[in-house]
Amino acid sequence: MAEAASLSTASHEPGSPWVGQSIPRVEDAALLTGRGRFIDDIGVRPGTLHAAILRSPHAHADIVSIDSSAAKRAPGVFAVLNGEDVKALTASLVVGVKAPVECWPIAVGRVRYVGEPVAIVVAADRYLAEDGADLIEVQYRVRPAVVDPLAALNLDAPVLHDGFAGNVASDRTFRYGDPEQAFASAAHRISLDIRYPRNSCTPIETYGVVADYDPSDDAYDVLANFQGPFSIHAVLSRALRVAGNRLRLRTPPDSGGSFGVKQGVFPYIVLIAAAARAVGRPVKWIEDRLEHLAASVSATNRATTLSAAVEDNGRVLALDWDQVEDCGAHLRAPEPATLYRMHGNLTGAYDIRHLAVRNRVVVTNKTPTGLNRGFGGPQVYFALERLVQRIAVELGLDPLDVIMRNLIPADGFPYRTASGALLDSGNYQEAIKRGVNEGGLAELKSRRDAARAQGRLYGIGYTAVVEPSVSNMGYITTVLTPADRRKAGPKNGAQATATVAIDPLGSVTVHVASVPQGQGHRTVLSQVVADVFGLTPADIRVNTEMDTARDAWSIASGNYASRFAPAVAGTAKLAAGRLSERMARVAASQLNTEIDDIAFAGGSVRSKRNPDNKVSFSRVAALSHWSPGALPDGIGQTIRETVFWSPPELTAPDEEDHINSSLCHGFIFDFCGVEVDRTTLQTRIDRYVTMHDCGTILHPGMVDGQIRGGFAQAVGAALYEEYAYGSDGSFLTGTFADYLLPTVAEVPDPAILHMQTPSPFTPLGSKGVGEGNCMSTPVCIANAVADALGLKDVELPLVPAKLAQIVRGDEPMPAKGRAIEETAKRGGDRHLRGKGEAVVGAPAERVWAMLLDPETLQAVIPGCQNVEKISDTHFRADVTIGIGPMKGRYRADVKLSDLDPPHAVTLGGSAEGALGFGGGEGRITLVPTGNGGTAIRYVYEAAIGGKVASIGGRLLDGAARVIIGQFFASLARKVGGNPDAQSLPSLLSRALRLFGGHR
Amino acid sequence: MSRLQAGRRHSVRFSLNGKPCTGEAEPRLLLTDFLRHQLAATGTHVGCEHGVCGACTVSIDGKPARACLTLAVQIDGCELRTVESIAPSPDRLGILQSAFKRNHALQCGFCTAGILMSLDCFLRAHPRPDEESIRDLLCGHLCRCTGYTPIVRAAIEAAAELVDHGKEKTDA
């Protein structure tokens, strides 16, 4: 059976390279002892203030008014800024398509998603800032919201931005080869409609920003756990209305995970920087978890129709993609990059020469999207690899045979795909062969057969995936027409930078603009540079902090697109190599030999022919400091070398929209066996095998770590995680009890296999490996589940309720005859509905009178502080209601209508508070029971939104029932003193049971 | 039991990593904020502030607890231990920490402090745990980097080593 890459620290043979060894990480000791320096661990300048952000409870609404006066008077509050205040200090963020649309980091006049910033409160500490935020009163005029990307295309859909055509931010068609002819001639056209959901890699550390503004210099100094790309620095400078050299952007030494997500901190850099300017003091903001889940960024959700022109034997001649990308409420930089990152790779691992593509980008009332591990890959491969499985099923072929039949030939590299990617190297057939043998596919098939023989639901899934890495900074311009691109000028490349410096004692320091978030860059760079200089990794000190005012950087700097191993580490090797070449000349002159005879080894620079003829590395290295005059002519210095490296293969899109979107292309072949429980429809991953070819492996332990980490996140995306929205745009997954991350119990141990086909395009032969399983694993699991259940349409996440819906249809309605009956809720329906009955020992006239009496209402409404009678049929009340962990005060407005005394009345009303809002209507009918009593029957329908829906969503149904039940129970008590002994306790107990049992 | 007044600072006396410690806290101040921002013990991290992720786990009177669900005033009179206490000396890692390093059981290291504290409490109370009970314990922690397997390996190795270590001590 295959072994995972060796993790043990290999004993290092003298003279053998450090690269390729799993040496211990230099990062670990500090992190294990609590001495990490994450953004919230670092001290701030005295006088630094703290920000809290008031956010929209509505998905789509006009802001009628914002009253901050009480907040501004609150103790410790220094300033409150709203959208207009921020607008006065900044400019709109650049939007990535040509359209007259603005994009502000805070709502200006209108909110477009739940969680959109509405005001910033700056106070002496965070607690006081949040107190202040609670005192801001915002009046909204709610607009209809659109949540679904296809619904956003409808002509009658609510429109988010006037500058787009409807909600379409971009609509481009592409044609490569002759797809029409291929579809006309092929024996089969096989199609699939796909919905890829919203999810996020959710780092455990949230966003953080500390910003300062110096008015005497008109310059900002910002510390943020931003991850790049630093093309965003240009966006920030423009938004802050300063030249690039007046925005100093720094990153802390440690960052608690990012996976792309911390690119999305940038709008908050603008907000907090503006706040610092407004208040004249440094301002710090650390995002909380609800803010992060609701309003940081998510991956895009996408609706795709993919068709293939297929021959009888499963050979695919052409693909036709129709993708509708949902970027949320604003098109924030670098979107719509998620859609175009894979543009060169739309044919995957397959040799398909004909391709038609329609790409539409829409805006909806959801959180704006941004970078997320896999970036476009999960969405593309879910469609493509589901389709490959469907081709096999529909043509009665083995899915693995269909994969094999279509692979790019092993002798075809470098291979130019139909849409322009240049696949650098690989041997996909060999990788699959090894994966099948070493991963034990035959044994897995026996397990499947045995399980099926017992009547169990067992399936096998496969995926073959090309994993792109080192993004071409120009790929995003493929969204523009060739004419627009000509106007804008070419964009391309992927500048990586590395600086190697030698100090006066001859020790070596490396700096790169790679901004790691846990990937161990410092360790790997120490290996790479140690090999060049013949030193040990412990001799090399690596600094990966980033400071745009001091360091060498460019727009491609940062940690994304799996660019570290192929681009950054290679650039460090080049920089060290340039210094070592010059040092070799110095040493050659000192040792009286030729440059070709010089070797760096064991801490010395020596003659290869005569190893005893040597000089210590540090002595040669330091000469440039102490005695520059002693250097041979023309050497210059050996103190510091900075290399900028951009691969020539990354050219701008051409006139026919061919784009080499990435430099390197690894290969992944996955297969897995899953069992779906017949009763619970829970999916269990029985075995998972993942075969990787990521070129030369620099540190096997870290490659293993990247694969495992990506795999775990992919298991989450496949089975558990979804940023869920109600049909009104309410955000429903605001806690880790709603947005379910897999724990150790849910993540199986994958079998990891490797082969190494070096990239000819990178200095070290390495390719990216960090994102592959986020692309391959969700669809591999989905294919296995589809195989187990015989399904055509599979939607992620594969939660049991969703599978039950597919397999068994709608859940039957509960049995009749219950006092409280739940109306079955369809997905996304945000309405709470219910009905009930309470019987009291008093006549209807008495009950009627009490229903209209403020004093009675105050006594019977749960948590009611006071009731104000505006008119006979209009009341206002202050109520405090606790729902789950959320206890809050709401201002309620209740109107009575359709009065039919003493038989029936309709109560309609709304409530609004810091924790959310609600509205609803109920009809109460009073029916004499015959023995002098009255049956109070009620039906209601209510909708609740805002924070309380995000956090307490799971509890709302039950809580509403309990609260309404309590209202009638108290009313009954107040009316008669002795409510029907049978009915009320059972009503309450049933309500409570439902409440308790709803989770 | 004394009743604390909101808006007033109350004196909190406790022991932090074996040393007596005094601070002042309003009743609503979370233990996480108290530790990190008043006492500069920043090793304890804040991940979710609703008790799910486990990054803020500390030991209160020998039992693991979520510092984000604990008020600073609640630890008056308690013995509090945090990740800063685990290493035998500033330049050496403890057995558990070394096992984490050896097994690549951390990447970004943000969730690590809480996991170490849970395991530290657990292994003190259960010196010979089986893998199942270690996995069970680790279910209370979210890690987004490692895929968990290396953490489980590290915990198992550390448990075995701690038993040997204990034996040596007894033998000596």
Side-chain angles (χ1 to χ4, degrees):
Chain A
M1 190 77 347
E3 283 293 306
S6 168
L7 277 171
S8 59
T9 306
S11 58
H12 183 256
E13 296 286 326
S16 72
W18 290 99
V19 166
Q21 308 281 329
S22 287
I23 65 166
R25 300 201 325 164
V26 294
E27 290 87 352
D28 288 353
L31 297 171
L32 285 162
T33 51
R35 288 198 297 263
R37 286 179 296 153
F38 298 91
I39 187 163
D40 196 26
D41 301 342
I42 303 174
V44 291
R45 202 153 76 75
T48 298
L49 301 175
H50 298 263
I53 298 173
L54 178 73
R55 293 169 183 274
S56 168
H58 298 288
H60 202 186
D62 293 312
I63 297 174
V64 178
S65 65
I66 302 178
D67 181 355
S68 307
S69 52
K72 284 178 176 162
R73 288 194 304 270
V77 171
F78 282 70
V80 179
L81 283 81
N82 61 29
E84 296 297 337
D85 301 327
V86 172
K87 192 176 172 181
L89 295 170
T90 64
S92 163
L93 300 168
V94 175
V95 176
V97 296
K98 296 267 175 229
V101 168
E102 293 186 331
C103 178
W104 297 97
I106 183 169
V108 177
R110 203 207 288 196
V111 293
R112 292 181 176 87
Y113 62 96
V114 170
E116 182 160 20
V118 171
I120 315 166
V121 181
V122 182
D125 68 37
R126 176 65 176 258
Y127 289 72
L128 295 170
E130 292 193 13
D131 288 347
D134 281 348
L135 295 172
I136 300 174
E137 288 195 18
V138 186
Q139 273 195 305
Y140 297 97
R141 191 183 311 112
V142 176
R143 288 170 174 254
V146 61
V147 174
D148 181 85
L150 296 184
L153 294 172
N154 291 340
L155 290 177
D156 59 351
V159 172
L160 274 78
H161 298 274
D162 295 334
F164 291 142
N167 290 311
V168 180
S170 165
D171 184 350
R172 283 220 66 196
T173 23
F174 304 89
R175 186 175 170 277
Y176 306 96
D178 192 349
E180 300 82 5
Q181 162 64 23
F183 273 97
S185 68
H188 308 274
R189 181 189 182 97
I190 297 175
S191 300
L192 206 56
D193 293 318
I194 295 293
R195 292 301 190 102
Y196 200 86
R198 282 203 157 208
N199 52 40
S200 163
C201 291
T202 44
I204 303 297
E205 182 197 40
T206 55
Y207 292 166
V209 180
V210 185
D212 198 0
Y213 174 74
D214 180 352
S216 54
D217 211 17
D218 186 27
Y220 290 95
D221 187 341
V222 174
L223 179 76
N225 51 12
F226 177 65
Q227 66 134 44
F230 279 76
S231 51
I232 296 293
H233 185 274
V235 176
L236 292 169
S237 305
R238 283 188 183 186
L240 290 169
R241 302 200 305 225
V242 291
N245 59 11
R246 290 178 194 276
L247 168 61
R248 180 180 191 176
L249 177 57
R250 296 176 291 124
T251 63
D254 293 306
S255 180
S258 174
F259 323 109
V261 175
K262 282 177 179 158
Q263 177 266 343
V265 71
F266 83 89
Y268 295 101
I269 292 176
V270 176
L271 275 190
I272 303 305
R277 181 173 183 163
V279 79
R281 299 255 289 258
V283 176
K284 175 175 175 175
W285 170 73
I286 303 291
E287 185 189 46
D288 72 27
R289 183 54 59 183
L290 171 60
E291 292 182 291
H292 188 85
L293 290 169
S296 57
V297 288
S298 89
T300 61
N301 56 302
R302 188 180 298 177
T304 301
T305 298
L306 177 60
S307 307
V310 194
E311 293 179 335
D312 287 329
N313 62 5
R315 180 81 177 100
V316 178
L317 303 176
L319 291 175
D320 183 351
W321 289 86
D322 186 348
Q323 306 189 92
V324 179
E325 177 86 324
D326 181 350
C327 283
H330 299 281
L331 210 58
R332 270 190 198 148
E335 295 289 26
T338 311
L339 185 57
Y340 283 90
R341 191 260 181 121
M342 301 296 293
H343 197 78
N345 302 109
L346 290 172
T347 44
Y350 308 121
D351 179 26
I352 302 170
R353 301 311 311 167
H354 307 289
L355 184 62
V357 184
R358 183 177 188 193
N359 278 345
R360 278 171 289 182
V361 178
V362 299
V363 288
T364 62
N365 293 110
K366 303 203 291 286
T367 297
T369 57
L371 271 59
N372 245 287
R373 196 177 199 168
F375 201 52
Q379 294 89 333
V380 159
Y381 284 118
F382 192 81
L384 182 58
E385 294 298 299
R386 281 292 302 127
L387 184 67
V388 168
Q389 197 254 4
R390 285 308 303 168
I391 289 170
V393 170
E394 294 197 17
L395 301 183
L397 303 169
D398 184 293
L400 190 53
D401 288 345
V402 177
I403 289 174
M404 295 295 286
R405 188 170 303 282
N406 286 291
L407 290 176
I408 289 162
D411 60 2
F413 294 95
Y415 174 92
R416 184 72 71 175
T417 68
S419 48
L422 185 62
L423 307 188
D424 45 343
S425 65
N427 184 340
Y428 302 168
Q429 289 79 0
E430 174 67 17
I432 290 180
K433 198 172 100 188
R434 288 198 206 172
V436 164
N437 293 335
E438 296 169 30
L441 178 61
E443 187 210 331
L444 190 68
K445 284 181 172 173
S446 309
R447 282 174 75 82
R448 176 195 61 191
D449 296 344
R452 286 184 173 174
Q454 293 169 3
R456 286 149 58 198
L457 300 170
Y458 196 104
I460 292 179
Y462 306 87
T463 41
V465 154
V466 169
E467 177 182 0
S469 52
V470 190
S471 283
N472 183 347
M473 298 309 281
Y475 76 72
I476 179 59
T477 60
T478 318
V479 71
L480 304 175
T481 61
D484 279 340
R485 285 199 298 266
R486 278 193 297 275
K487 267 184 249 165
K491 295 201 172 50
N492 64 280
Q495 287 282 8
T497 68
T499 299
V500 177
I502 289 169
D503 61 55
L505 292 178
S507 63
V508 181
T509 302
V510 179
H511 179 270
V512 293
S514 73
V515 199
Q517 302 96 26
Q519 292 89 346
H521 292 181
R522 288 169 57 208
T523 302
V524 175
L525 290 168
S526 75
Q527 291 173 277
V528 169
V529 174
D531 279 346
V532 175
F533 289 137
L535 300 172
T536 70
D539 296 327
I540 316 292
R541 195 93 199 284
V542 182
N543 183 342
T544 52
E545 290 167 56
M546 179 73 189
D547 180 342
T548 58
R550 290 197 315 218
D551 299 326
W553 63 280
S554 179
I555 58 163
S557 296
N559 196 24
Y560 61 94
S562 303
R563 68 196 304 279
F564 171 74
V568 179
T571 306
K573 180 190 169 163
L574 297 178
R578 282 201 199 161
L579 276 183
S580 75
E581 276 167 32
R582 277 183 253 151
M583 285 168 59
R585 286 178 59 194
V586 175
S589 84
Q590 292 199 341
L591 300 176
N592 282 321
T593 184
E594 309 87 58
I595 292 168
D596 291 350
D597 183 39
I598 293 295
F600 290 75
S604 302
V605 190
R606 63 179 69 163
S607 157
K608 288 177 198 166
R609 287 192 297 269
N610 175 15
D612 288 338
N613 184 20
K614 62 180 180 180
V615 57
S616 78
F617 173 86
S618 54
R619 195 172 174 88
V620 180
L623 194 66
S624 203
H625 283 286
W626 299 106
S627 182
L631 297 177
D633 289 344
I635 288 218
Q637 48 83 17
T638 63
I639 294 174
R640 189 181 180 98
E641 188 64 41
T642 296
V643 168
F644 286 77
W645 177 80
S646 184
E649 291 82 8
L650 294 184
T651 49
D654 68 14
E655 288 291 303
E656 284 79 44
D657 291 314
H658 294 99
I659 176 65
N660 185 18
S661 31
S662 301
L663 177 68
C664 305
H665 297 87
F667 179 71
I668 303 173
F669 170 62
D670 286 1
F671 62 89
C672 70
V674 306
E675 182 168 0
V676 181
D677 187 281
R678 269 199 185 277
T679 310
T680 63
L681 292 173
Q682 182 122 35
T683 301
R684 181 182 65 85
I685 301 166
D686 184 39
R687 179 162 173 72
Y688 199 100
V689 177
T690 183
M691 169 79 193
H692 284 253
D693 184 350
C694 62
T696 306
I697 291 177
L698 306 182
H699 187 297
M702 288 189 202
V703 168
D704 189 80
Q706 285 300 309
I707 291 170
R708 285 179 190 286
F711 174 74
Q713 288 176 330
V715 167
L719 299 179
Y720 307 103
E721 297 175 31
E722 182 175 12
Y723 277 163
Y725 287 84
S727 56
D728 63 350
S730 290
F731 181 69
L732 305 178
T733 43
T735 75
F736 278 151
D738 305 282
Y739 188 82
L740 298 176
L741 304 187
T743 73
V744 67
E746 284 82 34
V747 181
D749 193 7
I752 301 170
L753 305 169
H754 293 287
M755 69 180 242
Q756 300 187 45
T757 311
S759 171
F761 300 158
T762 66
L764 291 159
S766 45
K767 308 179 180 186
V769 71
E771 299 175 85
N773 283 89
C774 286
M775 305 181 187
S776 62
T777 298
V779 64
C780 189
I781 294 171
N783 279 344
V785 170
D787 183 46
L789 300 177
L791 301 178
K792 181 183 180 209
D793 296 315
V794 181
E795 210 174 289
L796 302 183
L798 294 158
V799 294
K802 200 176 282 176
L803 290 178
Q805 177 93 25
I806 297 169
V807 174
R808 297 177 188 146
D810 287 345
E811 201 158 331
M813 297 284 286
K816 296 282 175 201
R818 292 166 52 176
I820 292 176
E821 187 179 287
E822 183 179 10
T823 310
K825 289 211 300 175
R826 301 283 178 283
D829 182 353
R830 295 288 315 127
H831 284 88
L832 308 172
R833 297 188 184 88
K835 57 182 174 180
E837 182 179 300
V839 180
V840 297
E845 289 77 7
R846 180 130 176 255
V847 178
W848 180 263
M850 299 191 82
L851 270 176
L852 302 186
D853 170 37
E855 271 179 38
T856 310
L857 287 176
Q858 185 170 336
V860 301
I861 294 174
C864 185
Q865 278 96 30
N866 68 66
V867 172
E868 186 188 347
K869 187 172 177 177
I870 310 294
S871 75
D872 279 351
T873 57
H874 186 182
F875 303 91
R876 285 216 182 109
D878 283 319
V879 290
T880 302
I881 299 174
I883 293 173
M886 310 266 299
K887 192 169 185 180
R889 196 171 164 150
Y890 301 84
R891 184 114 179 103
D893 196 84
V894 180
K895 283 179 182 156
L896 307 178
S897 58
D898 300 332
L899 280 80
D900 176 14
H903 306 297
V905 60
T906 296
L907 267 82
S910 61
E912 195 139 353
L915 294 179
F917 60 91
E921 205 169 77
R923 180 80 176 160
I924 298 172
T925 43
L926 306 177
V927 182
T929 54
N931 55 1
T934 304
I936 311 172
R937 294 187 184 141
Y938 59 92
V939 292
Y940 65 87
E941 185 171 324
I944 295 171
K947 223 182 243 184
V948 70
S950 303
I951 292 184
R954 288 159 294 127
L955 311 171
L956 279 180
D957 272 353
R961 266 183 230 110
V962 167
I963 291 162
I964 289 163
Q966 279 171 355
F967 170 79
F968 286 104
S970 337
L971 181 70
R973 263 196 304 277
K974 187 98 178 162
V975 171
N978 57 343
D980 183 294
Q982 290 287 308
S983 142
L984 263 177
S986 74
L987 170 89
L988 261 181
S989 68
R990 254 185 243 128
L992 285 167
R993 204 162 58 230
L994 274 169
F995 178 58
H998 195 259
R999 293 190 67 160
Chain B
M1 188 182 271
S2 64
R3 196 177 162 83
L4 303 178
Q5 279 181 287
R8 284 190 53 181
R9 291 160 77 89
H10 300 269
S11 163
V12 187
R13 289 163 193 278
F14 61 106
S15 119
L16 178 59
N17 297 329
K19 290 181 186 146
C21 193
T22 312
E24 285 203 332
E26 278 184 35
R28 68 174 177 174
L29 186 71
L30 296 178
L31 178 55
T32 41
D33 290 332
F34 184 58
L35 279 173
R36 294 174 46 75
H37 301 309
Q38 284 200 23
L39 305 176
T42 53
T44 302
H45 291 144
V46 177
C48 73
E49 286 186 306
H50 56 273
V52 180
C53 81
C56 67
T57 305
V58 297
S59 163
I60 301 177
D61 291 337
K63 294 201 172 60
R66 302 290 207 232
C68 78
L69 298 183
T70 307
L71 298 171
V73 291
Q74 286 177 276
I75 58 155
D76 192 43
C78 294
E79 255 183 51
L80 190 69
R81 285 192 313 112
T82 64
V83 68
E84 285 93 344
S85 73
I86 307 185
S89 68
D91 59 344
R92 275 180 59 214
L93 296 178
I95 287 171
L96 186 59
Q97 291 163 316
S98 297
F100 265 60
K101 182 170 178 174
R102 219 165 38 238
N103 284 281
H104 207 55
L106 68 157
Q107 288 183 33
C108 80
F110 195 80
C111 68
T112 310
I115 297 177
L116 289 173
M117 291 314 294
S118 273
L119 282 170
D120 184 70
C121 291
F122 180 73
L123 295 178
R124 282 168 194 252
H126 307 87
R128 290 168 195 278
D130 59 7
E131 179 173 338
E132 218 37 50
S133 58
I134 286 174
R135 286 181 171 273
D136 208 37
L137 176 90
L138 291 173
C139 276
H141 291 272
L142 296 176
C143 167
R144 286 302 254 175
C145 294
T146 63
Y148 301 109
T149 301
I151 299 175
V152 176
R153 277 192 208 143
I156 292 169
E157 268 186 36
E161 212 178 313
L162 283 164
V163 169
D164 293 344
H165 191 68
K167 266 194 214 140
E168 275 167 33
K169 266 190 182 167
T170 324
D171 295 346

